[in-house]
Amino acid sequence: MMLRLLPKVMALLRIYMEDSLAYRASAFIWMLTDVVQCLVMPLVWLSAYDGRAALGGYQPGEMVSYYVVMALVSNFITSHLMWDLAWEIKEGILSQWLLRPVPVFWMLFARNISWRLLRMMLFVPVAVLATLYYGRMVHLAPLDLSVWFWLSVLLGHLVSFLIAFALACLAFWLQEAQSVFSLYYAPMLLLSGWVAPIGLMPGWLQGLAFVMPFRYTTAVPVEIAVGKLAGEALWFSLAGQLFWIGMASLLGWFLWRRGIRQYTGVGM
Amino acid sequence: MVPLAAGHPTVYGGGHVRRLRFYVNLYRMFLRTSLVREMEFRANFWAKVMFNLLWLGFFLVTLKIIYRHTEAIAGWTEPEALVLAATLYFLDALITTLFYFGLSELPTMVRQGTLDFVLVKPVDSQFWLSLRRVNLDQLGSLLVAVLLGIYALLSLGYVPPAANILLYLGMVAMGVLIFYSFHFMMMTLSIWLVRVENLWVLSEVFTQIGRFPTDVFDAVLRRLFTYVLPVAFLATIPAKALLGKVSGAFLLFAAAWALTFFVAGRLFWRFALRSYTSASS
């Protein structure tokens, strides 16, 4: 089944890659939010050190690396496909996809990952510039880009994609799914480590981060890269990523199946 | 030729007072229609208040995370940073009440060709585009911002003299005007960038920079963010004015800058309209 799908998925990837390129201007504008995050947050922290060697175990160089790697990695990992998909479900655009020879799920997967890859590639030069800029101010330690890092990036992408997919399915039932999506962003940005390293948060928030899925999208790979996650904690975190892939798949599968039944009922 | 409708200022034969009265009446009409709209979706009111509170909480948690580890960010203590947060939230509520959503529809109108209907109206197009949507559901957020500001000042143990409060309000007004002009210019870009659907993100980025004290930047960037891309006026400078760290004379500079921005926005819009080719024709 998977093997037969592969050529189709590759073909879709090519199509969607070209499609994504057509939205260069949009991608560029979105990139600016990451640029600003990469510029503002490290500088806010750097002006909070006040001569101390480390804050919460993060040396200045590690803090800077954290935000630069976070911006780069989250460009690939953090998926926002629910906005488009919800709209496409509501407008009935989904109908034509159901007739195609490729399962809609894989089509969405190809479309999402093409866009994420483009966004990440666009950000690479910014990350290089940021490294040069901060390199003059602080000592940037080399990153730990072992095989576990790359693995957790891939797993993180799947966690985020599957959650966004499950969320989008709400559009089968809710007229205003958009407001639910907006609510999703505050905990997501906080607990995925986008705002600040989870290790620096108060205890209750850390506890929350460990049991919610968001940490297993971007925080895990970034913490590996800056050398804050090793040994038992690393295995535990990778297992957490697998766990959430399983949970989100089940939820997405369930909602999609129920939703599709409902959808055809309304559409025909 | 633009058809002259009854009530159009030139029908009266001009005159600044008449013209002004016409626009005051028009704004009153906008207020009324917005209020009617609001009454229709009353459940939304509390949903929006809750939603804004969520984002305020989000920002306060961010500040809390940083202040767990330090006493000051670039010289700003925690209560001072709360004054900053309250200011940002206050400004944001004003912006959303007055023009944000109405103006943000401009790119969609360009794409769908409905901008034509605005251009043929016997009203200044910028006025109509900017002010027709008054978001009264932001009043709750305004109140929360004021309460947060009072709380911050109390924990700082500082009662600002009346002069500082006036200076503060003046700076906030300039901040709103600067943001307005910036947002208007970004939305105007849609005349050329018809297919770009996320121009609003540019304004979002503008506020994203202004969210923290601009003192965290080095001298070059700080000057850039005060004089060229004046995000410092969104929160840092008004908050400093309230805390008595800005001289009154600086308000003159702020006003001059805000006015320059406003005129630039207006000229940019005129310029853009010259290259506007309607989507429908």
Side-chain angles (χ1 to χ4, degrees):
Chain A
M1 173 68 181
M2 283 297 265
L3 270 181
R4 261 198 305 134
L5 267 175
L6 201 63
K8 288 178 180 170
V9 172
M10 292 309 277
L12 279 172
L13 269 177
R14 210 189 54 240
I15 294 167
Y16 282 120
M17 212 56 196
E18 282 162 15
D19 204 40
S20 299
L21 280 174
Y23 289 94
R24 277 185 305 262
S26 275
F28 179 79
I29 291 174
W30 280 118
M31 188 190 73
L32 290 177
T33 60
D34 299 327
V35 173
V36 168
Q37 177 79 0
C38 248
L39 182 71
V40 175
M41 286 314 289
L43 288 176
V44 166
W45 280 107
L46 287 181
S47 47
Y49 274 89
D50 202 21
R52 275 168 290 215
L55 292 185
Y58 277 78
Q59 289 161 8
E62 291 172 334
M63 189 69 91
V64 169
S65 300
Y66 180 90
Y67 282 100
V68 177
V69 177
M70 174 57 85
L72 186 64
V73 160
S74 78
N75 261 302
F76 174 69
I77 291 180
T78 310
S79 302
H80 311 270
L81 72 151
M82 57 279 198
W83 300 96
D84 281 346
L85 183 54
W87 181 76
E88 284 152 351
I89 289 173
K90 234 161 95 178
E91 296 289 311
I93 295 169
L94 183 62
S95 308
Q96 37 176 317
W97 296 347
L98 292 169
L99 299 174
R100 288 186 193 171
V102 187
V104 175
F105 179 83
W106 291 108
M107 197 212 84
L108 291 170
F109 183 76
R111 183 170 75 170
N112 182 59
I113 206 168
S114 315
W115 177 246
R116 305 292 6 140
L117 281 171
L118 172 81
R119 290 284 307 277
M120 192 180 65
M121 286 187 289
L122 262 179
F123 195 76
V124 170
V126 180
V128 173
L129 281 178
T131 310
L132 293 175
Y133 175 72
Y134 289 117
R136 292 181 304 137
M137 305 160 96
V138 292
H139 167 69
L140 295 175
L143 299 170
D144 175 16
L145 302 181
S146 63
V147 62
W148 304 120
F149 165 75
W150 297 105
L151 177 66
S152 80
V153 167
L154 283 178
L155 295 179
H157 177 83
L158 289 176
V159 175
S160 184
F161 170 75
L162 289 166
I163 292 176
F165 175 74
L167 263 179
C169 290
L170 293 178
F172 283 119
W173 296 275
L174 298 179
Q175 273 301 309
E176 289 294 322
Q178 268 81 359
S179 20
V180 181
F181 302 161
S182 310
L183 284 178
Y184 162 80
Y185 276 82
M188 189 272 271
L189 291 175
L190 196 63
L191 301 176
S192 68
W194 168 258
V195 168
I198 291 168
L200 295 171
M201 295 179 183
W204 64 271
L205 215 51
Q206 288 194 32
L208 200 62
F210 276 88
V211 297
M212 296 284 278
F214 307 114
R215 175 177 177 268
Y216 303 93
T217 58
T218 50
V220 171
V222 178
E223 284 174 21
I224 295 175
V226 296
K228 296 293 168 196
L229 205 56
E232 214 168 277
L234 172 63
W235 306 128
F236 196 72
S237 301
L238 290 175
Q241 290 191 298
L242 289 173
F243 170 78
W244 281 109
I245 289 173
M247 291 299 284
S249 308
L250 274 178
L251 185 68
W253 178 76
F254 175 75
L255 289 176
W256 180 260
R257 265 188 42 152
R258 295 290 300 263
I260 283 290
R261 230 176 279 156
Q262 164 125 350
Y263 177 77
T264 45
V266 172
M268 298 292 149
Chain B
M1 271 305 285
V2 176
L4 295 180
H8 184 254
T10 55
V11 174
Y12 295 110
H16 287 304
V17 179
R18 285 245 165 90
R19 216 175 143 75
L20 188 67
R21 194 177 297 154
F22 170 75
Y23 279 105
V24 168
N25 282 336
L26 191 59
Y27 192 68
R28 222 177 267 160
M29 199 100 85
F30 289 160
L31 262 178
R32 188 148 20 117
T33 49
S34 301
L35 192 65
V36 170
R37 234 179 108 88
E38 212 59 67
M39 291 312 218
E40 271 179 61
F41 306 99
R42 228 172 313 171
N44 265 348
F45 181 87
W46 291 110
K48 279 191 186 160
V49 170
M50 290 306 295
F51 190 68
N52 287 330
L53 276 177
L54 181 75
W55 281 107
L56 177 66
F58 177 80
F59 186 63
L60 293 182
V61 169
T62 309
L63 286 178
K64 200 79 206 164
I65 293 171
I66 302 169
Y67 281 107
R68 278 185 77 224
H69 301 278
T70 188
E71 301 78 48
I73 301 170
W76 291 68
T77 61
E78 193 174 358
E80 283 173 337
L82 279 184
V83 174
L84 186 88
T87 305
L88 186 78
Y89 198 64
F90 185 54
L91 210 98
D92 189 67
L94 282 175
I95 284 165
T96 323
T97 309
L98 294 174
F99 57 81
Y100 188 77
F101 285 117
L103 203 49
S104 301
E105 275 172 17
L106 178 53
T108 314
M109 298 172 88
V110 172
R111 202 160 33 246
Q112 297 178 344
T114 45
L115 179 62
D116 297 10
F117 303 127
V118 181
L119 296 178
V120 297
K121 278 190 205 332
V123 182
D124 184 273
S125 55
Q126 184 181 358
F127 183 87
W128 196 88
L129 288 167
S130 309
L131 298 175
R132 83 187 174 289
R133 273 255 176 104
V134 191
N135 259 65
L136 296 159
D137 54 14
Q138 293 292 321
L139 292 176
S141 303
L142 273 179
L143 186 68
V144 171
V146 172
L147 289 178
L148 178 68
I150 291 173
Y151 168 78
L153 288 173
L154 283 179
S155 51
L156 199 61
Y158 173 73
V159 182
N164 284 10
I165 295 176
L166 280 178
L167 188 60
Y168 176 76
L169 292 176
M171 287 296 187
V172 167
M174 294 312 130
V176 170
L177 194 58
I178 285 174
F179 179 84
Y180 164 77
S181 309
F182 184 82
H183 190 50
F184 184 45
M185 284 192 259
M186 295 304 109
M187 293 295 105
T188 301
L189 285 176
S190 66
I191 300 279
W192 297 282
L193 306 173
V194 180
R195 283 189 63 199
V196 181
E197 291 182 19
N198 60 346
L199 285 169
W200 59 274
V201 174
L202 291 168
S203 304
E204 202 72 4
V205 164
F206 191 70
T207 45
Q208 204 187 340
I209 307 173
R211 199 167 294 171
F212 287 97
T214 45
D215 300 297
V216 303
F217 300 114
D218 60 35
V220 178
L221 283 178
R222 198 162 53 229
R223 255 174 236 147
L224 177 78
F225 291 138
T226 309
Y227 301 109
V228 186
L229 201 67
V231 291
F233 288 97
L234 295 187
T236 306
I237 292 175
K240 276 189 173 176
L242 191 63
L243 297 170
K245 293 177 183 172
V246 172
S247 73
F250 199 65
L251 184 62
L252 284 180
F253 169 76
W257 207 187
L259 207 65
T260 311
F261 244 65
F262 182 78
V263 172
R266 200 162 166 78
L267 291 176
F268 189 52
W269 173 240
R270 293 255 174 92
F271 175 70
L273 280 186
R274 246 186 283 157
S275 28
Y276 174 66
T277 50
S278 169
S280 51
S281 49

